[in-house]
Amino acid sequence: MYTRCPQCQTVFRVTAVQLKVRDGMVRCGRCQHVFGADQHLIAKPARSTAKSAAPATRKRATGKKPAAEPRPVAASTQHSAPPFPAEVPKHAAAPLPLPLMRLRPVRTRAIYWAAGGVVLMLLLASQILIFYGYDLARRTAALKPMIETLCAPLPCRKLPPIDMRHMDLVETQVAPHPRYDKALRVKATLVNRADVVQPYPLLEVSLIDSQGQLVARRAYPPREYLSKPEAIQKGLPPQVAVSVQLDITSPDAKASGYEVLLLPSPDK
């Protein structure tokens, strides 16, 4: 079908699909006039009419570049969209709404996993610092200031666990106390065979009668057999013989023998 521009009388071809778009409103490709194409439909023009219009067009365009014949935009070779007229007026109808963008939900699960991993790493680092911080500081002097700062708010253990394989009891002696009755004085010499400082162990004393039966047994912490409390914090130095002394009350006159052992002190 064909339509005629009411302003410049230009005729061009339109389709039903083009008339449906924008309620039939089109813009003339020659004079830019906006009009309703469905209101100015005409029959197919005669061939002579088209030829007679051509000279008039050439006369009006004398000395200028001939203008292209107004016609609707040809349909694309891709058949995914219908053809449109040459130009659709901007003010004739409201623009088609754009499709709403679908917002992707934030992957909170991944964020939670990442945060949980960070917390676990911090907990692991704290445990390493609590149990081995001061040991690392003793081995690496450059790390000592940083470790001491980090351990300030934490219950860091100042000494590593005792390695009893390198703890040696080289000498022991149990004798009546020189000043008190029914009391004993225990003397012992400890040697730390390890290459690093170790905590002082427990000193276990067992009393035995003449029949080999156990009369009494008790394990004594370092604070009871060391004369200087600060020595506990410093630990037992490596490759040094340290003499200790312990005064105990004899529980039974039948005790005729003794046994002294070193035990690992409980973790603190």
Side-chain angles (χ1 to χ4, degrees):
M1 64 185 69
Y2 295 85
T3 187
R4 187 194 305 275
C5 176
Q7 181 167 313
C8 65
Q9 304 302 313
T10 300
V11 178
F12 54 90
R13 184 180 179 183
V14 294
T15 65
V17 176
Q18 292 172 338
L19 293 178
K20 187 176 181 181
V21 177
R22 305 293 185 183
D23 295 329
M25 299 300 293
V26 298
R27 185 188 299 273
C28 179
R30 177 176 295 277
C31 67
Q32 307 302 316
H33 177 65
V34 178
F35 65 99
D38 56 346
Q39 300 176 7
H40 298 274
L41 295 176
I42 61 173
K44 182 177 180 180
R47 182 174 301 178
S48 58
T49 305
K51 289 183 178 180
S52 61
T57 304
R58 285 196 295 268
K59 289 180 181 180
R60 288 196 298 270
T62 303
K64 298 181 181 180
K65 185 177 180 180
E69 182 181 355
R71 61 177 182 176
V73 178
S76 173
T77 55
Q78 299 180 356
H79 300 285
S80 58
F84 289 91
E87 188 173 354
V88 178
K90 297 181 181 180
H91 61 278
L96 295 176
L98 295 176
L100 296 177
M101 297 179 63
R102 178 176 297 178
L103 300 178
R104 295 184 177 180
V106 179
R107 296 183 178 179
T108 54
R109 181 176 298 179
I111 296 176
Y112 291 152
W113 275 105
V118 172
V119 172
L120 290 177
M121 291 298 295
L122 291 177
L123 291 176
L124 178 61
S126 300
Q127 291 182 352
I128 294 175
L129 196 63
I130 289 173
F131 288 97
Y132 306 104
Y134 281 101
D135 187 33
L136 292 174
R138 283 192 297 271
R139 295 174 181 269
T140 308
L143 297 177
K144 185 175 181 180
M146 181 185 67
I147 291 176
E148 289 180 348
T149 301
L150 295 176
C151 277
L154 299 175
C156 293
R157 186 168 56 186
K158 296 185 179 298
L159 293 175
I162 297 178
D163 186 357
M164 297 304 297
R165 297 173 302 175
H166 297 90
M167 193 67 67
D168 196 4
L169 182 63
V170 297
E171 183 180 357
T172 59
Q173 180 183 358
V174 177
H177 198 280
R179 292 187 296 171
Y180 302 103
D181 294 335
K182 297 182 180 181
L184 299 175
R185 172 164 286 180
V186 180
K187 292 183 179 181
T189 302
L190 311 180
V191 177
N192 175 18
R193 303 294 185 185
D195 296 331
V196 296
V197 177
Q198 292 205 85
Y200 280 91
L202 296 176
L203 195 66
E204 184 185 77
V205 180
S206 301
L207 300 179
I208 305 171
D209 61 13
S210 59
Q211 302 299 321
Q213 300 296 320
L214 180 66
V215 176
R217 175 180 291 167
R218 183 183 171 188
Y220 297 88
R223 66 176 180 273
E224 297 193 33
Y225 63 76
L226 292 175
S227 58
K228 297 180 179 180
E230 60 271 15
I232 300 176
Q233 300 297 330
K234 293 180 180 179
L236 187 58
Q239 309 301 330
V240 176
V242 177
S243 298
V244 299
Q245 180 176 293
L246 176 66
D247 294 336
I248 62 176
T249 301
S250 177
D252 196 329
K254 296 180 180 179
S256 59
Y258 68 90
E259 183 181 22
V260 180
L261 297 175
L262 299 179
L263 301 178
S265 58
D267 294 339
K268 297 181 179 181

